[in-house]
Amino acid sequence: MLTSEDIFKLIKKERNFLGNIDQYKIKISNSDNFDRDNLIGVYKIRQYSATRNGNDNLSQEIGNLILNLENYSNSKLRFVSVLGKKYYGIFFLSENWNEIIGYLEREIDESEFTSMNSID
């Protein structure tokens, strides 16, 4: 398994606006793998909910994630979350940690950061 620094460098290549690693909490999933087909099902439901709630931007972002998951040829993925003062991102990486398959991200406010930061 790669270190948090290695994973952050990979994520930063994809999302180059991120600052230095010391500005973020990086959490790498303890689970060995996430099943691609299960994730597709979960995110299709979430996309439907976003559409029903009128959140077209979120629906489109989830649609892009689903498309990337469907185009991934292996069945297992890795999960990493990145939390900063005004940023939260979840990233699905290839089984061997060398490629970002898809992600969802958003800006958060100070109160959300405080509550998310206390969940450890």
Side-chain angles (χ1 to χ4, degrees):
M1 184 172 104
L2 299 176
T3 66
S4 293
E5 291 83 11
D6 294 331
I7 291 171
F8 186 76
K9 286 178 188 174
L10 179 64
I11 291 170
K12 191 168 173 148
K13 284 182 187 175
E14 182 81 22
R15 308 306 296 153
N16 59 10
F17 66 86
L18 296 175
N20 297 327
I21 189 170
D22 57 349
Q23 298 171 324
Y24 300 93
K25 286 180 81 172
I26 312 292
K27 289 191 178 184
I28 302 167
S29 172
N30 291 340
S31 176
D32 286 339
N33 293 296
F34 285 79
D35 185 75
R36 178 185 75 104
D37 292 335
N38 288 344
L39 288 171
I40 290 169
V42 166
Y43 282 107
K44 282 185 177 183
I45 292 168
R46 289 184 178 177
Q47 183 183 32
Y48 174 74
S49 294
T51 301
R52 280 191 53 206
N53 292 328
N55 194 339
D56 295 332
N57 288 338
L58 179 59
S59 178
Q60 184 177 358
E61 289 175 23
I62 293 172
N64 289 336
L65 173 61
I66 291 168
L67 187 63
N68 289 338
L69 292 172
E70 289 175 339
N71 288 331
Y72 179 60
S73 60
N74 293 342
S75 64
K76 301 296 182 184
L77 294 120
R78 307 293 183 145
F79 177 79
V80 175
S81 66
V82 178
L83 175 64
K85 282 224 180 243
K86 296 188 178 208
Y87 174 84
Y88 181 67
I90 58 171
F91 294 84
F92 293 99
L93 280 69
S94 61
E95 194 170 4
N96 59 4
W97 301 98
N98 68 345
E99 177 185 7
I100 294 174
I101 305 306
Y103 59 89
L104 291 173
E105 60 189 357
R106 70 185 185 101
E107 290 185 29
I108 57 176
D109 63 31
E110 292 291 325
S111 63
E112 286 179 296
F113 178 78
T114 303
S115 64
M116 292 175 98
N117 205 16
S118 64
I119 302 173
D120 283 319

